[in-house]
């Protein structure tokens, strides 16, 4: 994927393990037989074995990852399932969301959780990926399953996904009040209530610290 980077972003040649220092310093515990829990404002909460996703068509997608701290990694080759297909084929018929649900919260096995408005989460390019660059998703980048939502900053793209929580109201997120509810990269929605441009420099200054923390938990 070429063309100019979104506003305020800078390309990185490497692809560091990254995250909020509090979460990236934790090691997600991945069970031997991982499941995807479907819960929240649904009639019938359930847990899907990850193998059940294999009934859906596999999607391959090349897309960029834009971290809110201003680094971008371009042209990652993801493979997995479209979240909208999971929604239509598995979540709607089996968990039966209530009629007025509006958000989808994604929960990671390290305790990290963020949400997107349901309409954003069901966009064409939002995947639950289990493969990256032709190999099973490495632990560093979110095994066994990771949310890929290229139009949104990295902080919305939960790694080590263990649960999808359907919500009527905007749920609490790991980033707290500072998280923008949509976090669209093209609109530089880095945080709630502050023009994204003003956060480029202070966020950029935190990159080395987060990468160091991440390396301590390989
Ligand atoms: N479970 C979990 N998912 C997470 C995070 C995290 O700390 N824990 N950090 C987010 C942030 S801020 C970014 S930029 C990307 C980084 O993905 P990477 O580690 O594959 O580079 O993961 C996102 N997903
Ligand atoms: Mo990030």
């Amino acid at each position: 994927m070429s063309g100019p980077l979104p506003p305020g972003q800078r390309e990185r040649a490497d692809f560091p393990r990254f995250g909020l220092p509090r979460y990236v310093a934790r090691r997600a515990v991945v069970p031997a037989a991982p499941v995807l829990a479907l819960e929240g404002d649904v009639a019938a909460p359930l847990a899907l074995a990850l193998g059940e996703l294999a009934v859906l068509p596999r999607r391959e997608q090349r897309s960029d990852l834009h971290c809110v701290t201003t680094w971008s990694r371009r042209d990652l080759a993801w493979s997995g399932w479209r979240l909208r297909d999971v929604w239509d084929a598995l979540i709607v018929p089996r968990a039966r969301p209530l009629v007025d649900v509006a958000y989808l919260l994604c929960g990671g096995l390290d305790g990290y959780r963020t949400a997107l408005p349901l309409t954003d989460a069901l966009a064409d390019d939002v995947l639950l990926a289990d493969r990256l660059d032709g190999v099973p998703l490495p632990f560093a980048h979110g095994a066994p399953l990771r949310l890929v939502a290229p139009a949104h900053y990295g902080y919305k793209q939960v790694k080590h996904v263990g649960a999808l929580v359907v919500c009527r109201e905007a749920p609490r997120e790991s980033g707290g009040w500072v998280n923008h509810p949509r976090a669209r990269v093209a609109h530089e929605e880095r945080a709630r209530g502050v023009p994204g441009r003003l956060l480029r420099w202070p966020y950029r200054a935190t990159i080395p610290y987060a990468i160091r923390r991440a390396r301590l938990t390989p």
Side-chain angles (χ1 to χ4, degrees), residues 35-56 84-98 164 166:
V35 297
L36 181 62
L38 308 178
E39 42 195 53
D41 294 322
V42 295
L46 72 135
L48 293 175
L50 293 196
E52 293 184 68
L53 295 174
V55 301
L56 303 174
R84 196 176 63 220
D85 292 341
V86 178
W87 178 263
D88 289 342
L90 299 168
I91 301 179
V92 170
R94 293 180 56 183
R96 290 185 279 124
L98 305 187
L164 296 177
V166 178

Side-chain angles (χ1 to χ4, degrees), residues 18-20 66-69 71 112 153-155:
F18 205 83
L20 253 64
H66 306 292
C67 173
V68 74
T69 62
W71 65 266
Y112 184 80
Y153 285 115
Y155 71 82

Side-chain angles (χ1 to χ4, degrees), residues 115-131:
L116 282 171
L118 189 58
T119 46
D120 286 4
L122 300 183
D124 257 9
D125 57 355
V126 177
L127 306 185
L128 281 173
D130 69 338
R131 298 178 66 82

Side-chain angles (χ1 to χ4, degrees), residues 157-202:
Q157 305 184 42
V158 176
K159 298 184 285 185
H160 318 294
V161 175
L164 296 177
V165 186
V166 178
C167 305
R168 285 190 280 195
E169 310 280 332
R172 272 194 44 201
E173 301 181 275
S174 297
W177 63 269
V178 69
N179 276 19
H180 192 285
R182 300 188 76 184
R184 288 170 300 172
V185 179
H187 298 265
E188 210 170 349
E189 291 168 340
R190 295 186 195 272
R192 190 191 304 259
V194 189
R197 236 173 346 98
L198 299 183
L199 294 170
R200 291 177 190 173
W201 183 82

